[in-house]
Amino acid sequence: MSEGLSSKVSQALSAPVRPFLKGRRSEVADNIARAPLAIWPSDPWPSQSNYGQWLLSGLAQYPAGFEAGVDAFWSVAACAERHNFSWLYDLKAMGGEQARKSARVLVASWVERYGAYKKRPKTSRAFADNKVIAKRCMALLRTYDFHGASATDSYQSLVSLILNQDASFIYKRLSGGLVNVTGGRDYLLEAAALLNIALCLSADPDMTRDPKVMTWIEVATKSFIEALDVQILEDGGHITRNPEKLVEISRHCLDIRRLFSAVNMACPSEIQHGIDRMAQALKFFRYTDKNLAVFHGGQESYDKILDLILHQVGQNKKIVKSLPNSKYERLTQGRTTIMMDVGNAPPTPFDRHAHFAPLAFELSHGRDRIVVNCGTHTNNDLWRDALRRTSAHSTLTLGNRDVMSAREDGSIRAKPSQVLSERSEHKGAILLEAMHDGYSFGEGAKKQAKHIRRLYVSDKGQDIRGEDSLYSSAACEEDMEVAIRFHLHPRVRVSLVRNGDMALLRLFSGVGWRFQCSGAQIHIEDSIYMGDGMQASVPIKTKQLVLKFSVLSGSCGDQVKWAFQRDA
């Protein structure tokens, strides 16, 4: 496997020699080099073995040979996310000696290229983004039983040294006040990475006496708790309003809790409280198919990971109807569930990936998803920006405009001044009314239009009625085109009947639904779905129902009524 690679990489893989990282090393680093971390935490979370197979096949079959394949893999332009070492989880999931040796080659070759900070391109997102460093540390730690436990002393020392180097960098940022609210997203990840490394070091009796290690634990714990307090709202939702962020942070919290227990230290109560709150929100966002609703840059996630999280938390509380801080409503009747976004954009800097879609909703019946939002792309900025737009969601658009607009860095520049909602229940049925004033029109865009959406769900969930209205206090000076979109899940089959006055929907389970409306014409148009966490980088073709109408010049608005009804 090491044939054709540089002598330094070959040494790290085969010979018990000193690590080839050059430069000044701290006393802690020397201690680690002599005796690797006392404990290496295992990773209980499932990954995608098919991604690992893809990586191995690509390296083995690279046209110019294995060494050229490794060089291409580390090309910064190829994929910035590779530098966070997330592929280690996928190679571990695949298992086998070939996957293990390939992991070691990739780790050692990365250290040769970029181990020294001065070798790292300063303008590349792969190195300028500090959460990449944090994720790389945790990947090296949590897959060590796979790639490092049976490796040479040289390779083990290499991994220990790079972890110490990155941990020292993170510690300086956290203790020096370099991480503040403008770096809030990295704040939690960096603190989690440092805390993981420091707790592993503390299990060694020699390292426990080292004041530096205990300082790392103190600073990392304080920083992690502070970040958790900022990012996790009182109802358990994440400040970005992205449901999938809860999966990531819940995993960090549970891993840290397990590490505290492993080194016989008490886990701070604030972390346990955060775990409990997030579990409540995760249950809220989870459909009957065991995956998550797709809002604000999130995806469905992976049902086995969600099962593991909720099993470790051990909560048996009922699913709440609303998340008042996160601004979401859940309408469940019989086997039908509607999830609706009734909130505004999150605050800066947590709005950089937020979507422009107040009042968007999703609809599912049993294990079948019916109406969805389009999702996001995991690593392509052009796709990610396109899927933030209002038209990529199941809501109303005015003149193909977005409800919000973003700055160059992705943060929200203009958003509604009001997003309000009210929920009521009567005789078993649910009525949800919501409004936002995010649309503007006229000369200088000084006139505001309000989008009002009403949803009614019958007691058995088989009759869903909606009303979308667009109103302004001032009359329109010209006709305005309006579209109400209902993006359909790829497993839904749809066709128009009755001369286009009704749409028939056939779900994957075979259940049939009817859709009809008044005040607009029904159209079936192409759409895509990128909410499936298993195929998040591949757009899946699907369809959307689009209701089109015009607000005529001189009027102050119009409304459309529509209904989904299950076949008897």
Side-chain angles (χ1 to χ4, degrees), residues 134-146:
K135 288 182 178 180
R136 182 167 60 244
C137 288
M138 286 188 280
L140 284 168
L141 271 175
R142 301 197 172 284
T143 60
Y144 185 82
D145 59 339
F146 163 70

Side-chain angles (χ1 to χ4, degrees), residues 284 321-322 328-331 338-340 342 423 432:
F284 173 93
K321 299 177 180 180
S322 306
Y328 284 100
E329 292 287 340
R330 179 185 177 115
L331 289 67
I338 290 176
M339 210 84 69
M340 186 162 159
V342 293
R423 175 184 181 134
L432 177 62

Side-chain angles (χ1 to χ4, degrees), residues 257-277:
R257 185 179 74 175
R258 192 162 49 250
L259 262 182
F260 269 111
S261 176
V263 298
N264 295 316
M265 295 175 65
C267 180
S269 60
E270 295 90 342
I271 294 178
Q272 183 59 54
H273 184 44
I275 291 171
D276 294 338
R277 298 203 317 271

Side-chain angles (χ1 to χ4, degrees), residues 355-381:
H355 286 206
F356 315 149
L359 312 196
F361 79 95
E362 293 192 323
L363 165 66
S364 70
H365 179 262
R367 296 182 64 87
D368 291 310
R369 297 193 183 215
I370 305 174
V371 177
V372 295
N373 297 311
C374 291
T376 191
H377 199 288
T378 53
N379 51 39
N380 185 298
D381 289 340

